[in-house]
């Protein structure tokens, strides 16, 4: 009897537990569903919904709704007054842009001017605004602008062959962020002395070129030269850190102007695995390097004929205005003689990644276009050595002679260490008399520590490696810049010309500078 009673009690208790468990799971499921619905509702909630839920006085001070808001009111008024803005701004832009185009005019053209310039009937749209800095010295704000315009822009292009062509610039699409700086703040209307404007970020800039009544491809290289000219003119004339200053009130605003902040020493060492663009033989590569694409600030290397792995070992010096935002650009071309050179690849280096006073050795992969992020095709690599020296930096790179005496960083180091008693205030004639030729002489000690992951060359599956200076399984091309500046360092280098392998080297330099008077 007790057995059946226990059985019944067990069944009842078991059923009760099952019922409780099922109800608990149902309740938890309902809570999860309600929570998901609430989260989805918050995700769909707009700023206006938030303002309707609570009055502004109930929000804490750190809640800001207008950090990057749409400027519908500005766009509406700009659309209404755009015909008047177009008429007033077209002539102003034309007169200010023409000298810039002339400055960047390609060599194949003898003249480049506007014959027509109007901004069209479509007004730009400002899609957002944000305040970056606001203090007693000034206000910095950024405006994001989008313009798919229909301007009537016609360029009067004259080539050196005497051919004159009217080229229309059409289908302009632009998206970018402009930076405005209102500084200094004053106690007189409009409460700021000047405004600086600059293109902080260019997200998109597309346009088409068309010869009126003809084909622009009839003159080889003309289309590419004009496109590069327009892009370079915009990139360098208004792109940050370059800025345009508009005085509002009388005063001295020289502190707002763009000023040099340092120098960048670049050694173009070599390139490897370049793309072959020639049907017969190999490409004839050369390099162009610049920070700002000004004609007199662009450096061009020598041409290495019939070689896909050129070695230049050339040194250049660039002026840096803003190391935090500027880049060094490297473009490798194939020389085609009288025809336009063909781009093999390009690369860039952010100057903010360089440590001041330290040599950085980099290999950069070449891409077809720096604006295209998904270019995965291998186009070769370029080898650079970079040294950034800010002005006023207390180090051994101080030039004891006048600024007009051009010396590389290496020469300045050797001259500083060997002739430190020279007076920096000497006249130009005294400097020319004291100018010396530096004979770079010293003892270079190279210690081969070990090698790793060498390729198999014997039939037995191994190799018997040894190191010599003229023959190799693979090679390491090193320059003396770093070891001369640092004195000694140790590093692991990959082997070029081999499927695999690395070489651990220790290098030490003991200088023995010798000076002789130049004749």
């Amino acid at each position: 009897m007790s057995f059946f009673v226990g059985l019944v009690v067990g069944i009842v208790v078991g059923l009760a537990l099952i019922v409780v468990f099922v109800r608990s799971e149902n309740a938890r499921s309902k809570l999860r569903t309600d929570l998901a619905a609430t989260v989805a509702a918050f995700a769909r909630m707009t700023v206006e919904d938030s303002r309707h839920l609570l009055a502004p006085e109930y929000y804490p001070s750190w809640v800001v709704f207008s950090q990057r808001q749409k400027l519908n009111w500005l766009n509406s008024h700009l659309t209404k007054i755009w015909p008047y803005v177009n008429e007033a701004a077209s002539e102003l832009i034309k007169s200010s842009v023409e000298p810039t185009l002339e400055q960047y005019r390609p060599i194949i053209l003898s003249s480049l001017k506007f014959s027509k310039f109007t901004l069209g009937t479509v007004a730009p749209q400002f899609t957002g605004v944000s305040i970056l800095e606001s203090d007693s010295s000034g206000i910095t704000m950024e405006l994001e602008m989008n313009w798919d315009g229909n301007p009537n822009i016609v360029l009067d292009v004259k080539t050196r062959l005497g051919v004159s062509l009217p080229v229309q610039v059409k289908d302009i699409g632009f998206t970018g962020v402009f930076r405005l700086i209102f500084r200094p703040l004053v106690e007189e209307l409009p409460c700021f002395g000047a405004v600086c404007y600059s293109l902080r970020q260019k997200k998109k800039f597309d346009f088409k070129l068309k010869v009126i009544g003809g084909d622009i491809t009839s003159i080889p290289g003309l289309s590419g030269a004009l496109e590069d000219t327009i892009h370079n003119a915009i990139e360098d004339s208004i792109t940050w850190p370059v800025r345009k200053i508009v005085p509002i009130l009388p005063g001295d605003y020289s502190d707002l102007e763009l000023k040099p902040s340092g120098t960048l020493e670049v050694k173009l060492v070599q390139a490897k695995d370049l793309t072959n663009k020639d049907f017969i033989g190999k490409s004839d590569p050369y390099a162009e390097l610049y920070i700002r694409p000004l004609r007199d600030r662009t450096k061009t290397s020598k041409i290495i004929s019939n070689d896909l792995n050129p070695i230049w070992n050339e040194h250049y010096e660039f002026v840096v205005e803003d190391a935090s935002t500027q880049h060094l650009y490297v473009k490798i071309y194939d020389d085609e003689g009288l025809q336009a050179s063909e781009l093999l690849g390009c690369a860039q280096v952010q100057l903010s990644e360089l440590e001041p006073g330290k040599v950085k050795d980099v290999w950069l992969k070449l891409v077809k276009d720096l604006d295209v992020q998904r270019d995965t095709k291998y186009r070769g690599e370029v080898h650079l050595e970079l040294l950034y020296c800010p002005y006023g930096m207390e180090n051994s790179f101080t030039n004891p002679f006048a600024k007009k005496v051009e010396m590389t960083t290496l020469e300045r180091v050797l001259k500083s260490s060997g002739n430190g008693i020279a007076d920096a205030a000497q006249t130009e004639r005294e400097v020319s008399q004291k100018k010396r030729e530096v004979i770079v002489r010293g003892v270079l000690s190279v210690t081969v520590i070990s090698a790793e992951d060498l390729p198999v060359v014997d039939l037995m599956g191994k190799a018997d490696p040894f190191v010599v200076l003229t023959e190799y399984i693979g090679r390491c091309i090193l320059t003396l810049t770093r070891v001369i500046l640092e004195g000694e360092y140790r590093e692991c280098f990959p082997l070029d010309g081999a499927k695999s392998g690395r070489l651990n080297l220790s290098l030490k330099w003991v200088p023995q500078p010798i000076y002789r008077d130049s004749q």
Side-chain angles (χ1 to χ4, degrees), residues 291-418:
I291 294 178
R292 295 176 59 187
L294 289 167
R295 188 178 303 169
D296 58 345
R297 295 175 64 172
T298 298
K299 310 298 183 181
T300 304
S301 74
K302 63 183 178 183
I303 300 172
I304 307 296
S305 301
N306 198 36
D307 196 344
L308 300 181
N309 299 281
I311 299 177
W312 289 287
N313 200 30
E314 296 182 11
H315 172 268
Y316 310 102
E317 184 174 305
F318 299 90
V319 176
V320 178
E321 286 91 2
D322 187 357
S324 63
T325 60
Q326 288 185 306
H327 297 72
L328 172 70
Y329 297 93
V330 184
K331 294 185 177 181
I332 310 296
Y333 291 93
D334 176 23
D335 180 63
E336 298 292 347
L338 298 178
Q339 298 182 359
S341 300
E342 190 170 0
L343 181 67
L344 299 179
C346 51
Q348 65 179 358
V349 180
Q350 294 184 8
L351 301 189
S352 59
E353 298 177 352
L354 305 180
E355 182 180 353
K358 296 291 184 180
V359 178
K360 184 171 183 179
D361 189 292
V362 293
W363 279 93
L364 303 176
K365 290 187 177 181
L366 300 174
V367 297
K368 182 179 181 181
D369 192 338
L370 295 174
D371 294 329
V372 178
Q373 303 295 328
R374 298 183 179 180
D375 184 10
T376 58
K377 181 179 178 181
Y378 183 69
R379 305 176 187 275
E381 299 177 61
V382 61
H383 183 196
L384 303 175
E385 286 184 349
L386 307 170
L387 174 63
Y388 172 56
C389 299
Y391 291 149
M393 183 178 179
E394 297 297 332
N395 55 19
S396 60
F397 299 105
T398 303
N399 185 359
F401 295 100
K403 295 182 179 179
K404 292 186 178 181
V405 180
E406 295 184 357
M407 297 183 295
T408 65
T409 299
L410 176 59
E411 292 173 333
R412 288 199 291 268
V413 171
L414 294 178
K415 284 179 179 288
S416 297
S417 60

Side-chain angles (χ1 to χ4, degrees), residues 153-170:
I153 301 176
V154 179
L155 292 169
D156 184 13
V157 178
K158 293 182 180 180
T159 66
R160 296 193 179 274
L161 300 177
V163 180
S164 180
L165 297 173
V167 178
Q168 183 180 13
V169 183
K170 54 184 297 187

Side-chain angles (χ1 to χ4, degrees), residues 200-231:
R200 179 64 182 87
Q201 181 183 10
K202 183 191 69 175
K203 296 183 178 180
K204 184 188 76 170
F205 181 49
D206 300 323
F207 59 88
K208 294 181 181 179
L209 299 176
K210 179 183 178 181
V211 173
I212 299 176
D215 185 5
I216 197 170
T217 59
S218 59
I219 300 181
L222 178 60
S223 177
L226 285 178
E227 289 182 2
D228 289 343
T229 298
I230 295 174
H231 278 287

